Amino acid sequence: MFSRAAHTDQDRNVLMVALAEQVLRPAIDAAVAAGAEVIHLEDPWLGYVGITREDWAPLTDALGILHRDLKATLAFHVYFGDAAPHIDQLLKLPVDAIGVDLVQTDVKALGTGWNKGLVAGVINGRSSILESPKDLVDVARHLADTVRPRELYLSSNCELGYLPTQVAEQKVQRLGEAARAVKELVSV
Amino acid sequence: MNEVVDHKPLLTHEVGSLDKPGWRVKAYAGKPLDDKDLEEARSWGERLQVPKYERLLDLLRHTPFTKEQKAELQRWSSLYAVRLEESAGLDVVYDGEQQRTEMYDWAVSHSNGFERRGSVRAFDNKYYSKAAVVGPISLGSPFHNAEFSYLVSVAEAELKIPVTGAYTIADWSFDERNRTPENLLLPAAERTRQRKAARRDFVLEVARNLIRPNLEALITLGARWIQVDEPGASTEADELDLFVDSFNASVEGLNAMFSTHLCFSDYNLFFPAIERMEHCRQYAVGFANYDSRELGTSDEERPGYQVIKKFRDLPYKPALGLGVLDIHSDFIESPELVRDRVLYAVKVFGDPNRIHVTPDCGLRTRSWKVAYEKLRNMTAGVRMARQQLGLPSTE
């Protein structure tokens, strides 16, 4: 939905679909050709500003262009806002996984029995306070048990560019530590 | 000063920063100076008729500099900046932060309770060293006193001192007073409530324990007009009431004129929150950046200034520091363009006493040459507007 931030007098939904077709899809194809296995679409606009009912259909069209015959996992990540009001619609989008900012979103709002993967934004990219790997494991276990997504990805809630590099590195290390622990639990 | 500001129509002033001259930056960083730097110091000294500027040239020829000499060079830089603004014809002047590192770092460096966390991007390719608050916040030492005392000793025009505001200092810092990370399994509404309460406590602690004592120190020294800079004020649309509360907590009951500077935002966001900011006697706000460069005084010809009606209608009737110079461009606004922007604002307000004329923001992104030309045309445009309005000349 970066079409919303563009300077344009044109119809933004037409622009969104055109961006998907002419810019994002070629870029994604190039990334997949280079070996990318997961394409992570970041969409702060939807989380922060929201979306009107009539915009879901063109968003679905745009994502359909990106997802069609794609030989990689396509995730659509909503952040800088509460995803709870949008969960039902998000789960209908033609993508493989939905990303959610769990600093802003109640885990209970995610529902249960997802037909998609969940990119769980569990690391706060706007705070310098380091998360505890044990807490992250607890959250991951809870999500696996209750939401039951097709796949579970552990992630930051937003990009980490708002943090000093040293802090971001420590957070990523803790995220990795938690992910390893969760994998061990699953493999037992 | 209050009388001067309240009763002088179309008063002109700067907003905050000016670029730092190459010789000042290099000398302070211990880097070698070249002939170009010396020529810059000479030519501006001559052009601005800085008294005894030859002494600066002598000083610059004797590298390396001691700590005391570096401080002396900063004062020279201050003197040059004040003279630049006076020479451009401004009614109220400042030194463009020549003695400060920058607006966030300088405050944090003189405060207790902060620890550096590393560089983060401010905007474009500009980075700043972001700090975290890890304990009780307090003023380490008044951090504008030396600057103000020096400026009082050299300025011929009235002075205004900008001070970074509490909301911006807090917003640009991390809050680590409580290091316990959020429990994401708790209800989001409860976590949001706790986060907002901590945030409020944090911002107001900065206001009461850091900004206010520093303002008190400045007032004790004789400061009469203090501009509270709040570029971060509109970062969070749902925190504008907190911004207002932090301003009020910083200045309430203090005996000086307080204004605030807001920049580059959707200014509609500030309403109605700032209706409670009655201690703010002037808002310096950037508009030229959004405006047309065509001449004219109709609504259609002044698209960047439509929001000023909301400032006009504030119940406590503050002055508006009308930004008429785009600080993001080397485009030199003509006196006629400045005139028309001013005349439009006077028409909207119906009272020239409530219109002050300024750049959109600090001019540090422009060279001194461009800044000087812009400011000279600004004061020339104000003279034209005065004439057209039948106001007495200030010269």
Side-chain angles (χ1 to χ4, degrees):
Chain A
M1 294 187 73
F2 281 114
S3 55
R4 271 53 188 168
H7 288 285
T8 179
D9 296 327
Q10 308 298 312
D11 182 313
R12 290 180 184 276
N13 287 332
V14 172
L15 177 63
M16 177 165 60
V17 173
L19 277 171
E21 199 159 40
Q22 295 167 38
V23 179
L24 288 175
R25 182 67 202 228
I28 288 171
D29 285 341
V32 173
E37 295 177 354
V38 178
I39 304 297
H40 189 179
L41 295 171
E42 299 182 334
D43 208 308
W45 188 276
L46 200 157
Y48 190 75
V49 180
I51 180 171
T52 60
R53 190 187 305 174
E54 54 270 26
D55 290 341
W56 282 104
L59 176 62
T60 301
D61 292 345
L63 292 173
I65 291 167
L66 305 183
H67 191 243
R68 193 173 51 227
D69 302 325
L70 186 68
K71 294 189 170 41
T73 298
L74 185 65
F76 182 75
H77 191 149
V78 176
Y79 58 95
F80 288 164
D82 183 4
H86 312 302
I87 291 294
D88 290 346
Q89 289 290 346
L90 288 169
L91 288 173
K92 292 177 190 167
L93 293 174
V95 295
D96 302 302
I98 296 295
V100 176
D101 176 349
L102 286 176
V103 175
Q104 305 281 343
T105 306
D106 201 314
V107 290
K108 280 189 180 161
L110 300 181
T112 186
W114 276 32
N115 62 350
K116 296 186 190 307
L118 167 62
V119 181
V122 292
I123 292 280
N124 190 342
R126 304 294 298 273
S127 165
S128 59
I129 294 170
L130 299 178
E131 289 77 6
S132 126
K134 181 190 170 304
D135 288 351
L136 297 176
V137 171
D138 289 346
V139 174
R141 289 180 67 167
H142 180 84
L143 294 170
D145 291 343
T146 58
V147 181
R148 299 201 306 278
R150 227 166 47 191
E151 290 91 23
L152 178 61
Y153 303 85
L154 296 184
S155 165
S156 54
N157 68 330
C158 63
E159 63 266 59
L160 297 175
Y162 307 98
L163 296 172
T165 306
Q166 308 90 305
V167 178
E169 282 174 357
Q170 287 176 292
K171 291 206 171 216
V172 170
Q173 280 175 359
R174 289 181 177 220
L175 188 65
E177 207 177 309
R180 279 192 295 278
V182 172
K183 282 177 188 165
E184 279 174 23
L185 283 172
V186 171
S187 64
V188 169
Chain B
M1 170 59 77
N2 294 6
E3 285 183 5
V4 173
V5 170
D6 285 346
H7 300 291
K8 182 166 187 179
L10 309 188
L11 179 110
T12 56
H13 68 82
E14 50 63 57
V15 167
S17 61
L18 269 180
D19 192 21
K20 295 185 174 83
W23 50 265
R24 184 267 189 223
V25 174
K26 287 183 182 175
Y28 201 73
K31 292 181 179 171
L33 299 169
D34 55 30
D35 290 345
K36 197 176 151 199
D37 300 313
L38 290 170
E39 175 54 21
E40 183 189 20
R42 189 204 63 75
S43 60
W44 278 107
E46 183 179 80
R47 184 175 188 178
L48 301 174
Q49 298 177 20
V50 178
K52 299 173 184 169
Y53 72 85
E54 296 83 2
R55 288 187 185 175
L56 168 64
L57 302 181
D58 282 344
L59 180 58
L60 290 172
R61 290 190 185 100
H62 292 86
T63 55
F65 304 113
T66 64
K67 190 177 170 190
E68 188 46 50
Q69 286 173 321
K70 286 182 178 179
E72 190 180 344
L73 286 166
Q74 283 186 315
R75 289 192 290 274
W76 274 108
S77 192
S78 278
L79 177 59
Y80 268 55
V82 167
R83 286 289 176 269
L84 182 145
E85 293 180 4
E86 289 175 340
S87 170
L90 298 184
D91 297 312
V92 179
V93 300
Y94 171 60
D95 77 347
E97 300 180 357
Q98 299 300 307
Q99 299 191 42
R100 306 180 189 183
T101 44
E102 52 88 14
M103 63 184 299
Y104 172 80
D105 179 78
W106 188 254
V108 166
S109 297
H110 294 81
S111 308
N112 300 317
F114 291 79
E115 281 181 7
R116 305 282 175 190
R117 286 290 174 264
S119 290
V120 294
R121 177 181 277 168
F123 61 92
D124 295 342
N125 65 340
K126 306 290 183 190
Y127 289 75
Y128 75 104
S129 179
K130 186 164 180 170
V133 173
V134 297
I137 300 166
S138 64
L139 182 64
S141 57
F143 46 89
H144 298 321
N145 279 12
E147 169 194 86
F148 179 70
S149 297
Y150 177 72
L151 294 178
V152 166
S153 74
V154 298
E156 293 170 6
E158 289 282 348
L159 274 173
K160 171 180 62 68
I161 298 297
V163 174
T164 308
Y167 185 86
T168 294
I169 294 285
D171 191 58
W172 293 0
S173 302
F174 295 116
D175 181 3
E176 293 184 10
R177 294 170 307 159
N178 176 357
R179 290 175 194 250
T180 310
E182 278 188 29
N183 179 353
L184 299 182
L185 296 178
L186 288 177
E190 172 59 16
R191 288 188 283 121
T192 301
R193 191 193 64 73
Q194 290 177 4
R195 208 183 303 133
K196 282 182 179 296
R199 173 81 166 173
R200 181 173 188 77
D201 184 62
F202 179 41
V203 173
L204 293 180
E205 186 177 344
V206 175
R208 291 176 182 131
N209 297 351
L210 175 58
I211 303 303
R212 188 177 175 95
N214 196 50
L215 298 180
E216 288 170 335
L218 276 171
I219 293 166
T220 301
L221 275 182
R224 292 187 291 175
W225 181 356
I226 299 175
Q227 171 184 294
V228 180
D229 286 331
E230 287 283 15
S234 62
T235 306
E236 304 290 343
D238 63 346
E239 288 192 345
L240 286 159
D241 281 327
L242 179 54
F243 154 64
V244 170
D245 289 340
S246 73
F247 181 89
N248 289 340
S250 300
V251 311
E252 207 158 28
L254 300 184
N255 185 23
M257 170 176 145
F258 294 101
S259 60
T260 193
H261 168 54
L262 312 170
C263 55
F264 309 125
S265 173
D266 175 3
Y267 303 121
N268 288 296
L269 290 172
F270 289 99
F271 300 88
I274 61 173
E275 287 178 5
R276 292 190 298 111
M277 218 160 101
E278 65 270 15
H279 302 294
C280 183
R281 295 303 309 142
Q282 187 235 47
Y283 290 86
V285 186
F287 302 108
N289 188 48
Y290 306 95
D291 197 39
S292 151
R293 292 176 179 175
E294 301 301 314
L295 297 182
T297 60
S298 68
D299 281 348
E300 294 71 29
E301 286 156 330
R302 299 276 66 91
Y305 293 82
Q306 295 310 299
V307 73
I308 70 172
K309 300 177 179 84
K310 291 195 167 183
F311 289 94
R312 174 196 63 195
D313 294 338
L314 283 167
Y316 46 93
K317 300 199 179 307
L320 179 63
L322 188 78
V324 297
L325 303 180
D326 182 356
I327 61 97
H328 287 119
S329 163
D330 280 348
F331 168 72
I332 307 293
E333 291 79 358
S334 67
E336 290 78 11
L337 179 56
V338 170
R339 175 200 63 199
D340 284 0
R341 287 172 172 168
V342 170
L343 290 175
Y344 175 77
V346 169
K347 185 170 69 172
V348 169
F349 271 62
D351 180 1
N353 290 296
R354 287 185 63 195
I355 300 297
H356 299 161
V357 186
T358 74
D360 271 1
C361 187
L363 280 159
R364 75 169 173 152
T365 57
R366 301 299 105 202
S367 68
W368 275 32
K369 179 176 181 294
V370 170
Y372 189 54
E373 287 182 37
K374 279 178 175 269
L375 290 172
R376 280 170 61 94
N377 278 9
M378 185 177 94
T379 55
V382 168
R383 282 195 297 276
M384 295 169 81
R386 284 180 174 282
Q387 193 172 20
Q388 195 150 333
L389 292 166
L391 295 169
S393 165
T394 54
E395 294 173 312

